[in-house]
Amino acid sequence: MPETPAARGDFRDRPVSFVRRSGRMSDGQERAWERLSPFYLLEAPRDAAATSVRAGSEIDPAAVWGRTAPLVVEIGSGQGHAIVHAATEHPDTDLLAVEVFKAGLARTMLDADRAGARNLRLVEANAPEVLEHLLPAASADEVWVFFPDPWHKNKHTKRRLIDAEFAPVAARALKPGGMLRLATDWEDYARQMRAVLDASFLFERAFEGDWAERFDGRVLTAFERKGARAGRAIRDLAYRRIPA
C-alpha cells in the first residue's frame, strides 16, 4: 500500500502562517523571474515541504552580499514596497526579503532592478525556518514583521506567526542589541504580539507607554492604507534583543 503524505513526513509538525495559492504569475512577472532571479533570489535547500528550509543550510552573508554590512530582514515582504524603499534609501545596508508568494517576489525583483537596488536579496520560504536554518545565529541587525496575516477568526488564530515559538527563533537570528520591529492594524493581534514578547526573557521593550511610535523607516503600504480606511488603528511595537 502506498505511503500517505503524512507517513512520508510531507507535512510540518505545526501550522504555518500562510496558505499558498496557485495564482498564476503575469507574463511580465514570469519574465522578471527568469531574468532577475539569478541575481536576487537565494536558493534555499528544501526539507519535505515546498517552502521549507533544510536544517544545516546556513548562508554566509558576507559571501552572498559581497561585503560585511548591517543586515535587515523583512518577514512577509509582500509586493516589496517597504523593502525596496529601504534598500534604495540605505545602500550601505544589506536587506533580505522573505516571502512565500512567487508573484510578490517577482514584483519585488522588478522594482528593485528598476531602482538599482543591488543590496537586496529574496528568499521564497517559510519565515521561521529562514530565521532558524538559513541565517547564521546573531547575523541580523533588525527583523521586521509588518502587517502579518491576522488570522482573525478564532479557529484560525493558531496560524498566527507571532507566538511563543517565534520569539526564540527571532532572537536566535538577531545580534545582541538587535531590533525586532512589528506593526499590525488588528488590535487583538497587537496585544498578542506584545504579550508574547513581554513574556520572553530574550527581548526587552524599546518603547515607553502602550505602543511604540510609528517606525519612520516603514513606507506607507497598501496594507496600512486598507487598515486605515477600515477604521483600524495601526499599532507599532519595537523590541531589543537582550545580550546573553
Side-chain angles (χ1 to χ4, degrees), residues 22-38:
S22 57
R24 180 178 176 274
M25 292 202 297
S26 69
D27 291 342
Q29 289 169 337
E30 290 281 5
R31 288 193 298 269
W33 188 274
E34 182 178 353
R35 180 170 64 89
L36 299 172
S37 62

Side-chain angles (χ1 to χ4, degrees), residues 180-191:
L180 175 61
R181 302 187 186 277
L182 310 101
T184 181
D185 58 333
W186 288 86
E187 181 178 0
D188 69 313
Y189 197 7
R191 293 185 181 278

Side-chain angles (χ1 to χ4, degrees), residues 55-131:
S57 300
E58 281 188 5
I59 61 170
D60 177 1
V64 169
W65 279 272
R67 64 180 182 178
T68 300
L71 175 62
V72 173
V73 181
E74 184 182 14
I75 301 301
S77 54
Q79 299 292 310
H81 301 303
I83 200 77
V84 172
H85 178 266
T88 55
E89 289 291 307
H90 303 282
D92 294 333
T93 297
D94 295 332
L95 298 104
L96 177 64
V98 183
E99 181 55 72
V100 295
F101 297 109
K102 194 171 181 179
L105 290 168
R107 170 66 183 271
T108 302
M109 286 188 280
L110 192 58
D111 288 349
D113 183 59
R114 287 171 176 164
R118 311 295 285 176
N119 54 333
L120 174 62
R121 298 293 184 275
L122 297 77
V123 61
E124 182 187 11
N126 181 34
E129 294 173 75
V130 171
L131 298 174

Side-chain angles (χ1 to χ4, degrees), residues 227-238:
R229 285 197 302 269
R232 295 191 294 270
I234 311 301
R235 291 175 171 84
D236 279 67
L237 292 164

Side-chain angles (χ1 to χ4, degrees), residues 71-75 131 135 140-146 166 170 173-174 178-182:
L71 175 62
V72 173
V73 181
E74 184 182 14
I75 301 301
L131 298 174
L135 291 174
D141 291 80
E142 297 198 6
V143 172
W144 298 348
V145 188
F146 299 148
F166 179 82
L174 280 164
M179 295 295 297
L180 175 61
R181 302 187 186 277
L182 310 101

Side-chain angles (χ1 to χ4, degrees), residues 155-216:
K155 65 180 180 180
H156 291 153
T157 55
K158 64 184 178 181
R159 285 187 173 274
R160 286 179 170 175
L161 175 67
I162 311 301
D163 60 10
E165 293 184 30
F166 179 82
V169 172
R172 175 198 173 276
L174 280 164
K175 294 177 180 177
M179 295 295 297
L180 175 61
R181 302 187 186 277
L182 310 101
T184 181
D185 58 333
W186 288 86
E187 181 178 0
D188 69 313
Y189 197 7
R191 293 185 181 278
Q192 176 180 325
M193 292 174 176
R194 189 175 62 184
V196 163
L197 292 163
D198 281 350
S200 174
F201 67 92
L202 299 166
F203 288 98
E204 63 183 4
R205 287 190 181 191
F207 61 96
E208 297 180 359
D210 291 334
W211 308 104
E213 294 292 324
R214 187 186 190 282
F215 174 45
D216 59 9

